[in-house]
Amino acid sequence: MKHLKAINKKAQRIEQHIAAAHGDIYALQQGGGSPAARPHYPVGCSIVFSPGWEVDSAGGTAGLCQPAERDLYDCYVTCYWPAQVPDHYNNYPDWTSKCASATKDWRNIDLVFP
Amino acid sequence: MTATVTPLSLGEFHEFRVESVDFLYLVPSGGIFAVSPAGRQAILLLREQPLAADELLAALIDRGYAKDDAEEAIRELFEARAIRDPRGHQDLPQEPVADFPLQSLVLNLTNQCNLSCQYCYEFGEDKVATPDGKPKFMSETVAKASVDHLLASSQGRRAIHITFFGGETLMNFPLLKWVVHYALGKAKEAGQYLDFSLTTNGTLLSPEIIDFLVEHSIGVTVSMDGPKEMHDALRVYANGKGSYDILAPKVKSLIQKHNTRPIAARVTLTQQVTSVKEIFHHLRNEFGFAEVGFAPVTAAPKRLYTIENNNMDRIFEQFKELAVEYRDWAIAGRMHGFSNVSDTLAELHAGINKSHPCGAGLGLVGVGPSGDIAPCHRFVDSDAHALGNVMEGGLDKGKQKEFLDKGHIGAKFDCHSCFARPLCAGGCHHEAFVRYGDTGHPNLHFCDWIRGWTDLCLNIYGEIAVKNPAFLDQFEQRKPLQ
């Protein structure tokens, strides 16, 4: 900053915070911004390439890139949007912990009664 | 749809100017910034009246600043919240997390003392302790439970701290020795760094005790009130005889031999003892204390030793003169030893913004001989303030929360417009209880004093930052809670 010079440690942190906010969105291919700004990588189903789980090229579900069962909880963890699944960040960090493989273990996803 | 333009107004900060540099102490955050002439001009304009951003920009351009420069100044001030949208709410520090890990334990090894200082908060007229029927000396069982409590409650802390206190701490030296050995072993097992300190009146120091303190790098604070006539005014034995002559040779020997930790003196100022500069130079130069700190006595108004207002002004004048001396020494790169200044500078350097005035009941607790846990050593043995017992279930989280909720800056409405609140947060819980009967009451009788002191220390901080910034490096490491 040019007009404010940070003198104490708190001021230096404020300065870093402001600098980080300036580089809020940028392309990862271009180096990913300043270290202070990390982690600012894109998350969520709208920007991650998550190929379809509806039907495969033959019209069935056997050849999908990810199993159809993954649909049960795909909004969990990968998406910040408040979907109708338990929230990973605060209340149900272990919701899918017993589900190691979607096809085999999907029945083990916990029941949640908020 | 047209958006309504909100005028900008000033945020919350305290300005000071040193050596033709303008500084802002941003109150809600504790940040200290030097501000450019353009930034300063923007502040002056907004002080006259709220202006929309484009009006402020036009006014700055009118005063000869380039458009880009002026825009940048406004944006930076806005981002640091020195200027803001007036509809913004007030920022107060958040509540600390509920399971805040313990860092410091004060063990009152005994509530007995060989002196009868008239102003003593443990035995004097304003005592909060209710020691009847409780043990006078702490047992190994209680000490062990206390140390175990500290280790169990300090999970995740790299460094923890035990302070020995009394009564007169050294009246229970055998237990002190036992605790040092026991706690060091336990801390080693837990992989934590543990250090010790003690507060004493100095009269019971012996060569054997001094050797032990040196060997284990135990920090020592001696309660002393200055030269003989001042010290002996109130720090007396039960027969009224002063304690200066007894402690002076012992304390000098301690300072001479103890080379592993700096030795500090802690002076209690009273209506009778106010010669701050004389006391400081006596203790610093004739005794060789590394640091000397002062605090006004905690007492209800109108006690014989309670400092009256005119004397508080006199004390402040001397604090000021000593602080200026500190500043000049600091600029020359020398350690002065007036610890009231260095403590404040350390907090200003970190830019701390306190939710509570101190760590009492939060990262620090006191334990009395009965095992009762108190918010700090000053509340030990007080039934009304006990926060559980180390022998019976440890810290009572409910009582702790009640104490902390009361003491939180958010509950002290008088403080909400004060620029000194990031450091003061309403002041000592114990002082508040003695004065107002409520640990959560702001110490309003000290407000002018605290604001004067904070402003003085900000100026000193600014001047050191301009003239010898390397001196401030010593404050990079945070001191453990005292």
Side-chain angles (χ1 to χ4, degrees), chain B residues 346-369:
Chain B
E347 294 189 333
L348 288 175
H349 185 65
I352 63 168
N353 184 10
K354 296 177 186 169
S355 61
H356 294 83
C358 65
L362 192 57
L364 173 149
V365 293
V367 179

mmCIF file with all atom_site columns, all heavy atoms in Angstrom, chain B residues 346-369:
data_model
loop_
_atom_site.group_PDB
_atom_site.id
_atom_site.type_symbol
_atom_site.label_atom_id
_atom_site.label_alt_id
_atom_site.label_comp_id
_atom_site.label_asym_id
_atom_site.label_entity_id
_atom_site.label_seq_id
_atom_site.pdbx_PDB_ins_code
_atom_site.Cartn_x
_atom_site.Cartn_y
_atom_site.Cartn_z
_atom_site.occupancy
_atom_site.B_iso_or_equiv
_atom_site.pdbx_formal_charge
_atom_site.auth_seq_id
_atom_site.auth_comp_id
_atom_site.auth_asym_id
_atom_site.auth_atom_id
_atom_site.pdbx_PDB_model_num
ATOM 1   N N   . ALA B 1 346 ? 4.944   -3.927  23.942 1.00 0.00 ? 346 ALA B N   1
ATOM 2   C CA  . ALA B 1 346 ? 4.825   -5.287  23.409 1.00 0.00 ? 346 ALA B CA  1
ATOM 3   C C   . ALA B 1 346 ? 3.399   -5.519  22.902 1.00 0.00 ? 346 ALA B C   1
ATOM 4   O O   . ALA B 1 346 ? 3.191   -6.119  21.838 1.00 0.00 ? 346 ALA B O   1
ATOM 5   C CB  . ALA B 1 346 ? 5.181   -6.304  24.490 1.00 0.00 ? 346 ALA B CB  1
ATOM 6   N N   . GLU B 1 347 ? 2.418   -5.021  23.645 1.00 0.00 ? 347 GLU B N   1
ATOM 7   C CA  . GLU B 1 347 ? 1.017   -5.213  23.220 1.00 0.00 ? 347 GLU B CA  1
ATOM 8   C C   . GLU B 1 347 ? 0.694   -4.372  21.992 1.00 0.00 ? 347 GLU B C   1
ATOM 9   O O   . GLU B 1 347 ? -0.029  -4.810  21.096 1.00 0.00 ? 347 GLU B O   1
ATOM 10  C CB  . GLU B 1 347 ? 0.075   -4.868  24.379 1.00 0.00 ? 347 GLU B CB  1
ATOM 11  C CG  . GLU B 1 347 ? 0.247   -5.846  25.537 1.00 0.00 ? 347 GLU B CG  1
ATOM 12  C CD  . GLU B 1 347 ? -0.799  -5.706  26.626 1.00 0.00 ? 347 GLU B CD  1
ATOM 13  O OE1 . GLU B 1 347 ? -1.361  -4.601  26.804 1.00 0.00 ? 347 GLU B OE1 1
ATOM 14  O OE2 . GLU B 1 347 ? -1.063  -6.703  27.306 1.00 0.00 ? 347 GLU B OE2 1
ATOM 15  N N   . LEU B 1 348 ? 1.235   -3.148  21.961 1.00 0.00 ? 348 LEU B N   1
ATOM 16  C CA  . LEU B 1 348 ? 0.995   -2.302  20.784 1.00 0.00 ? 348 LEU B CA  1
ATOM 17  C C   . LEU B 1 348 ? 1.677   -2.901  19.552 1.00 0.00 ? 348 LEU B C   1
ATOM 18  O O   . LEU B 1 348 ? 1.125   -2.854  18.456 1.00 0.00 ? 348 LEU B O   1
ATOM 19  C CB  . LEU B 1 348 ? 1.534   -0.885  21.026 1.00 0.00 ? 348 LEU B CB  1
ATOM 20  C CG  . LEU B 1 348 ? 0.738   -0.030  22.014 1.00 0.00 ? 348 LEU B CG  1
ATOM 21  C CD1 . LEU B 1 348 ? 1.451   1.298   22.248 1.00 0.00 ? 348 LEU B CD1 1
ATOM 22  C CD2 . LEU B 1 348 ? -0.683  0.220   21.516 1.00 0.00 ? 348 LEU B CD2 1
ATOM 23  N N   . HIS B 1 349 ? 2.838   -3.455  19.742 1.00 0.00 ? 349 HIS B N   1
ATOM 24  C CA  . HIS B 1 349 ? 3.578   -4.019  18.606 1.00 0.00 ? 349 HIS B CA  1
ATOM 25  C C   . HIS B 1 349 ? 2.812   -5.200  18.003 1.00 0.00 ? 349 HIS B C   1
ATOM 26  O O   . HIS B 1 349 ? 2.695   -5.319  16.783 1.00 0.00 ? 349 HIS B O   1
ATOM 27  C CB  . HIS B 1 349 ? 4.962   -4.465  19.052 1.00 0.00 ? 349 HIS B CB  1
ATOM 28  C CG  . HIS B 1 349 ? 5.810   -4.942  17.912 1.00 0.00 ? 349 HIS B CG  1
ATOM 29  N ND1 . HIS B 1 349 ? 6.219   -4.099  16.899 1.00 0.00 ? 349 HIS B ND1 1
ATOM 30  C CD2 . HIS B 1 349 ? 6.306   -6.163  17.599 1.00 0.00 ? 349 HIS B CD2 1
ATOM 31  C CE1 . HIS B 1 349 ? 6.929   -4.780  16.020 1.00 0.00 ? 349 HIS B CE1 1
ATOM 32  N NE2 . HIS B 1 349 ? 6.999   -6.043  16.415 1.00 0.00 ? 349 HIS B NE2 1
ATOM 33  N N   . ALA B 1 350 ? 2.288   -6.049  18.863 1.00 0.00 ? 350 ALA B N   1
ATOM 34  C CA  . ALA B 1 350 ? 1.507   -7.179  18.352 1.00 0.00 ? 350 ALA B CA  1
ATOM 35  C C   . ALA B 1 350 ? 0.190   -6.682  17.761 1.00 0.00 ? 350 ALA B C   1
ATOM 36  O O   . ALA B 1 350 ? -0.380  -7.304  16.889 1.00 0.00 ? 350 ALA B O   1
ATOM 37  C CB  . ALA B 1 350 ? 1.242   -8.170  19.474 1.00 0.00 ? 350 ALA B CB  1
ATOM 38  N N   . GLY B 1 351 ? -0.298  -5.545  18.271 1.00 0.00 ? 351 GLY B N   1
ATOM 39  C CA  . GLY B 1 351 ? -1.599  -5.043  17.824 1.00 0.00 ? 351 GLY B CA  1
ATOM 40  C C   . GLY B 1 351 ? -2.725  -5.855  18.420 1.00 0.00 ? 351 GLY B C   1
ATOM 41  O O   . GLY B 1 351 ? -3.739  -6.120  17.781 1.00 0.00 ? 351 GLY B O   1
ATOM 42  N N   . ILE B 1 352 ? -2.560  -6.257  19.653 1.00 0.00 ? 352 ILE B N   1
ATOM 43  C CA  . ILE B 1 352 ? -3.588  -7.108  20.243 1.00 0.00 ? 352 ILE B CA  1
ATOM 44  C C   . ILE B 1 352 ? -4.858  -6.305  20.483 1.00 0.00 ? 352 ILE B C   1
ATOM 45  O O   . ILE B 1 352 ? -4.831  -5.093  20.670 1.00 0.00 ? 352 ILE B O   1
ATOM 46  C CB  . ILE B 1 352 ? -3.142  -7.772  21.568 1.00 0.00 ? 352 ILE B CB  1
ATOM 47  C CG1 . ILE B 1 352 ? -2.864  -6.728  22.631 1.00 0.00 ? 352 ILE B CG1 1
ATOM 48  C CG2 . ILE B 1 352 ? -1.943  -8.653  21.358 1.00 0.00 ? 352 ILE B CG2 1
ATOM 49  C CD1 . ILE B 1 352 ? -2.717  -7.362  23.984 1.00 0.00 ? 352 ILE B CD1 1
ATOM 50  N N   . ASN B 1 353 ? -5.956  -7.011  20.469 1.00 0.00 ? 353 ASN B N   1
ATOM 51  C CA  . ASN B 1 353 ? -7.264  -6.409  20.697 1.00 0.00 ? 353 ASN B CA  1
ATOM 52  C C   . ASN B 1 353 ? -7.982  -7.348  21.635 1.00 0.00 ? 353 ASN B C   1
ATOM 53  O O   . ASN B 1 353 ? -8.454  -8.400  21.236 1.00 0.00 ? 353 ASN B O   1
ATOM 54  C CB  . ASN B 1 353 ? -7.995  -6.279  19.366 1.00 0.00 ? 353 ASN B CB  1
ATOM 55  C CG  . ASN B 1 353 ? -9.306  -5.570  19.536 1.00 0.00 ? 353 ASN B CG  1
ATOM 56  O OD1 . ASN B 1 353 ? -9.597  -5.022  20.598 1.00 0.00 ? 353 ASN B OD1 1
ATOM 57  N ND2 . ASN B 1 353 ? -10.117 -5.589  18.496 1.00 0.00 ? 353 ASN B ND2 1
ATOM 58  N N   . LYS B 1 354 ? -8.031  -6.977  22.910 1.00 0.00 ? 354 LYS B N   1
ATOM 59  C CA  . LYS B 1 354 ? -8.454  -7.932  23.926 1.00 0.00 ? 354 LYS B CA  1
ATOM 60  C C   . LYS B 1 354 ? -9.974  -8.058  24.036 1.00 0.00 ? 354 LYS B C   1
ATOM 61  O O   . LYS B 1 354 ? -10.679 -7.059  24.022 1.00 0.00 ? 354 LYS B O   1
ATOM 62  C CB  . LYS B 1 354 ? -7.913  -7.488  25.282 1.00 0.00 ? 354 LYS B CB  1
ATOM 63  C CG  . LYS B 1 354 ? -6.412  -7.494  25.373 1.00 0.00 ? 354 LYS B CG  1
ATOM 64  C CD  . LYS B 1 354 ? -5.985  -6.964  26.735 1.00 0.00 ? 354 LYS B CD  1
ATOM 65  C CE  . LYS B 1 354 ? -4.479  -6.821  26.790 1.00 0.00 ? 354 LYS B CE  1
ATOM 66  N NZ  . LYS B 1 354 ? -4.046  -6.079  27.983 1.00 0.00 ? 354 LYS B NZ  1
ATOM 67  N N   . SER B 1 355 ? -10.419 -9.290  24.177 1.00 0.00 ? 355 SER B N   1
ATOM 68  C CA  . SER B 1 355 ? -11.823 -9.502  24.520 1.00 0.00 ? 355 SER B CA  1
ATOM 69  C C   . SER B 1 355 ? -11.986 -9.389  26.034 1.00 0.00 ? 355 SER B C   1
ATOM 70  O O   . SER B 1 355 ? -13.045 -9.049  26.524 1.00 0.00 ? 355 SER B O   1
ATOM 71  C CB  . SER B 1 355 ? -12.280 -10.878 24.050 1.00 0.00 ? 355 SER B CB  1
ATOM 72  O OG  . SER B 1 355 ? -11.530 -11.894 24.692 1.00 0.00 ? 355 SER B OG  1
ATOM 73  N N   . HIS B 1 356 ? -10.917 -9.683  26.768 1.00 0.00 ? 356 HIS B N   1
ATOM 74  C CA  . HIS B 1 356 ? -10.912 -9.608  28.234 1.00 0.00 ? 356 HIS B CA  1
ATOM 75  C C   . HIS B 1 356 ? -9.642  -8.885  28.677 1.00 0.00 ? 356 HIS B C   1
ATOM 76  O O   . HIS B 1 356 ? -8.623  -8.966  27.999 1.00 0.00 ? 356 HIS B O   1
ATOM 77  C CB  . HIS B 1 356 ? -10.928 -11.015 28.842 1.00 0.00 ? 356 HIS B CB  1
ATOM 78  C CG  . HIS B 1 356 ? -12.192 -11.764 28.568 1.00 0.00 ? 356 HIS B CG  1
ATOM 79  N ND1 . HIS B 1 356 ? -12.395 -12.454 27.386 1.00 0.00 ? 356 HIS B ND1 1
ATOM 80  C CD2 . HIS B 1 356 ? -13.315 -11.917 29.291 1.00 0.00 ? 356 HIS B CD2 1
ATOM 81  C CE1 . HIS B 1 356 ? -13.605 -12.994 27.415 1.00 0.00 ? 356 HIS B CE1 1
ATOM 82  N NE2 . HIS B 1 356 ? -14.190 -12.690 28.553 1.00 0.00 ? 356 HIS B NE2 1
ATOM 83  N N   . PRO B 1 357 ? -9.709  -8.224  29.831 1.00 0.00 ? 357 PRO B N   1
ATOM 84  C CA  . PRO B 1 357 ? -8.545  -7.438  30.243 1.00 0.00 ? 357 PRO B CA  1
ATOM 85  C C   . PRO B 1 357 ? -7.266  -8.247  30.427 1.00 0.00 ? 357 PRO B C   1
ATOM 86  O O   . PRO B 1 357 ? -6.172  -7.730  30.274 1.00 0.00 ? 357 PRO B O   1
ATOM 87  C CB  . PRO B 1 357 ? -8.987  -6.799  31.566 1.00 0.00 ? 357 PRO B CB  1
ATOM 88  C CG  . PRO B 1 357 ? -10.247 -7.479  31.961 1.00 0.00 ? 357 PRO B CG  1
ATOM 89  C CD  . PRO B 1 357 ? -10.849 -8.035  30.734 1.00 0.00 ? 357 PRO B CD  1
ATOM 90  N N   . CYS B 1 358 ? -7.380  -9.509  30.812 1.00 0.00 ? 358 CYS B N   1
ATOM 91  C CA  . CYS B 1 358 ? -6.186  -10.318 31.016 1.00 0.00 ? 358 CYS B CA  1
ATOM 92  C C   . CYS B 1 358 ? -6.571  -11.781 30.819 1.00 0.00 ? 358 CYS B C   1
ATOM 93  O O   . CYS B 1 358 ? -7.691  -12.090 30.478 1.00 0.00 ? 358 CYS B O   1
ATOM 94  C CB  . CYS B 1 358 ? -5.630  -10.107 32.422 1.00 0.00 ? 358 CYS B CB  1
ATOM 95  S SG  . CYS B 1 358 ? -6.743  -10.690 33.697 1.00 0.00 ? 358 CYS B SG  1
ATOM 96  N N   . GLY B 1 359 ? -5.633  -12.654 31.075 1.00 0.00 ? 359 GLY B N   1
ATOM 97  C CA  . GLY B 1 359 ? -5.910  -14.072 30.840 1.00 0.00 ? 359 GLY B CA  1
ATOM 98  C C   . GLY B 1 359 ? -6.645  -14.762 31.977 1.00 0.00 ? 359 GLY B C   1
ATOM 99  O O   . GLY B 1 359 ? -6.883  -15.981 31.919 1.00 0.00 ? 359 GLY B O   1
ATOM 100 N N   . ALA B 1 360 ? -7.006  -14.016 33.028 1.00 0.00 ? 360 ALA B N   1
ATOM 101 C CA  . ALA B 1 360 ? -7.623  -14.641 34.202 1.00 0.00 ? 360 ALA B CA  1
ATOM 102 C C   . ALA B 1 360 ? -8.865  -15.449 33.822 1.00 0.00 ? 360 ALA B C   1
ATOM 103 O O   . ALA B 1 360 ? -9.760  -14.944 33.147 1.00 0.00 ? 360 ALA B O   1
ATOM 104 C CB  . ALA B 1 360 ? -7.990  -13.583 35.238 1.00 0.00 ? 360 ALA B CB  1
ATOM 105 N N   . GLY B 1 361 ? -8.896  -16.694 34.254 1.00 0.00 ? 361 GLY B N   1
ATOM 106 C CA  . GLY B 1 361 ? -10.058 -17.549 33.999 1.00 0.00 ? 361 GLY B CA  1
ATOM 107 C C   . GLY B 1 361 ? -10.105 -18.057 32.566 1.00 0.00 ? 361 GLY B C   1
ATOM 108 O O   . GLY B 1 361 ? -11.029 -18.760 32.173 1.00 0.00 ? 361 GLY B O   1
ATOM 109 N N   . LEU B 1 362 ? -9.101  -17.676 31.780 1.00 0.00 ? 362 LEU B N   1
ATOM 110 C CA  . LEU B 1 362 ? -9.117  -18.020 30.359 1.00 0.00 ? 362 LEU B CA  1
ATOM 111 C C   . LEU B 1 362 ? -7.891  -18.901 30.062 1.00 0.00 ? 362 LEU B C   1
ATOM 112 O O   . LEU B 1 362 ? -8.006  -20.112 30.003 1.00 0.00 ? 362 LEU B O   1
ATOM 113 C CB  . LEU B 1 362 ? -9.089  -16.714 29.556 1.00 0.00 ? 362 LEU B CB  1
ATOM 114 C CG  . LEU B 1 362 ? -9.360  -16.748 28.074 1.00 0.00 ? 362 LEU B CG  1
ATOM 115 C CD1 . LEU B 1 362 ? -10.701 -17.361 27.785 1.00 0.00 ? 362 LEU B CD1 1
ATOM 116 C CD2 . LEU B 1 362 ? -9.324  -15.327 27.503 1.00 0.00 ? 362 LEU B CD2 1
ATOM 117 N N   . GLY B 1 363 ? -6.709  -18.260 29.913 1.00 0.00 ? 363 GLY B N   1
ATOM 118 C CA  . GLY B 1 363 ? -5.486  -19.042 29.739 1.00 0.00 ? 363 GLY B CA  1
ATOM 119 C C   . GLY B 1 363 ? -4.721  -19.193 31.034 1.00 0.00 ? 363 GLY B C   1
ATOM 120 O O   . GLY B 1 363 ? -3.703  -19.855 31.092 1.00 0.00 ? 363 GLY B O   1
ATOM 121 N N   . LEU B 1 364 ? -5.228  -18.555 32.079 1.00 0.00 ? 364 LEU B N   1
ATOM 122 C CA  . LEU B 1 364 ? -4.558  -18.577 33.375 1.00 0.00 ? 364 LEU B CA  1
ATOM 123 C C   . LEU B 1 364 ? -5.586  -18.821 34.473 1.00 0.00 ? 364 LEU B C   1
ATOM 124 O O   . LEU B 1 364 ? -6.684  -18.273 34.424 1.00 0.00 ? 364 LEU B O   1
ATOM 125 C CB  . LEU B 1 364 ? -3.862  -17.228 33.600 1.00 0.00 ? 364 LEU B CB  1
ATOM 126 C CG  . LEU B 1 364 ? -3.214  -16.920 34.944 1.00 0.00 ? 364 LEU B CG  1
ATOM 127 C CD1 . LEU B 1 364 ? -2.020  -15.993 34.751 1.00 0.00 ? 364 LEU B CD1 1
ATOM 128 C CD2 . LEU B 1 364 ? -4.173  -16.283 35.951 1.00 0.00 ? 364 LEU B CD2 1
ATOM 129 N N   . VAL B 1 365 ? -5.217  -19.663 35.438 1.00 0.00 ? 365 VAL B N   1
ATOM 130 C CA  . VAL B 1 365 ? -6.042  -19.779 36.649 1.00 0.00 ? 365 VAL B CA  1
ATOM 131 C C   . VAL B 1 365 ? -5.121  -19.839 37.868 1.00 0.00 ? 365 VAL B C   1
ATOM 132 O O   . VAL B 1 365 ? -3.937  -20.153 37.747 1.00 0.00 ? 365 VAL B O   1
ATOM 133 C CB  . VAL B 1 365 ? -6.955  -21.036 36.663 1.00 0.00 ? 365 VAL B CB  1
ATOM 134 C CG1 . VAL B 1 365 ? -8.035  -20.953 35.599 1.00 0.00 ? 365 VAL B CG1 1
ATOM 135 C CG2 . VAL B 1 365 ? -6.141  -22.314 36.521 1.00 0.00 ? 365 VAL B CG2 1
ATOM 136 N N   . GLY B 1 366 ? -5.685  -19.516 39.017 1.00 0.00 ? 366 GLY B N   1
ATOM 137 C CA  . GLY B 1 366 ? -4.949  -19.635 40.274 1.00 0.00 ? 366 GLY B CA  1
ATOM 138 C C   . GLY B 1 366 ? -5.520  -20.798 41.074 1.00 0.00 ? 366 GLY B C   1
ATOM 139 O O   . GLY B 1 366 ? -6.717  -21.084 40.989 1.00 0.00 ? 366 GLY B O   1
ATOM 140 N N   . VAL B 1 367 ? -4.651  -21.487 41.808 1.00 0.00 ? 367 VAL B N   1
ATOM 141 C CA  . VAL B 1 367 ? -5.137  -22.557 42.680 1.00 0.00 ? 367 VAL B CA  1
ATOM 142 C C   . VAL B 1 367 ? -4.646  -22.292 44.104 1.00 0.00 ? 367 VAL B C   1
ATOM 143 O O   . VAL B 1 367 ? -3.464  -21.996 44.310 1.00 0.00 ? 367 VAL B O   1
ATOM 144 C CB  . VAL B 1 367 ? -4.646  -23.943 42.210 1.00 0.00 ? 367 VAL B CB  1
ATOM 145 C CG1 . VAL B 1 367 ? -5.156  -25.033 43.154 1.00 0.00 ? 367 VAL B CG1 1
ATOM 146 C CG2 . VAL B 1 367 ? -5.105  -24.240 40.799 1.00 0.00 ? 367 VAL B CG2 1
ATOM 147 N N   . GLY B 1 368 ? -5.555  -22.367 45.056 1.00 0.00 ? 368 GLY B N   1
ATOM 148 C CA  . GLY B 1 368 ? -5.215  -22.120 46.456 1.00 0.00 ? 368 GLY B CA  1
ATOM 149 C C   . GLY B 1 368 ? -4.870  -23.404 47.189 1.00 0.00 ? 368 GLY B C   1
ATOM 150 O O   . GLY B 1 368 ? -5.018  -24.503 46.638 1.00 0.00 ? 368 GLY B O   1
ATOM 151 N N   . PRO B 1 369 ? -4.427  -23.289 48.447 1.00 0.00 ? 369 PRO B N   1
ATOM 152 C CA  . PRO B 1 369 ? -4.045  -24.472 49.223 1.00 0.00 ? 369 PRO B CA  1
ATOM 153 C C   . PRO B 1 369 ? -5.163  -25.512 49.329 1.00 0.00 ? 369 PRO B C   1
ATOM 154 O O   . PRO B 1 369 ? -4.905  -26.703 49.450 1.00 0.00 ? 369 PRO B O   1
ATOM 155 C CB  . PRO B 1 369 ? -3.731  -23.892 50.600 1.00 0.00 ? 369 PRO B CB  1
ATOM 156 C CG  . PRO B 1 369 ? -3.332  -22.479 50.338 1.00 0.00 ? 369 PRO B CG  1
ATOM 157 C CD  . PRO B 1 369 ? -4.150  -22.033 49.178 1.00 0.00 ? 369 PRO B CD  1
#
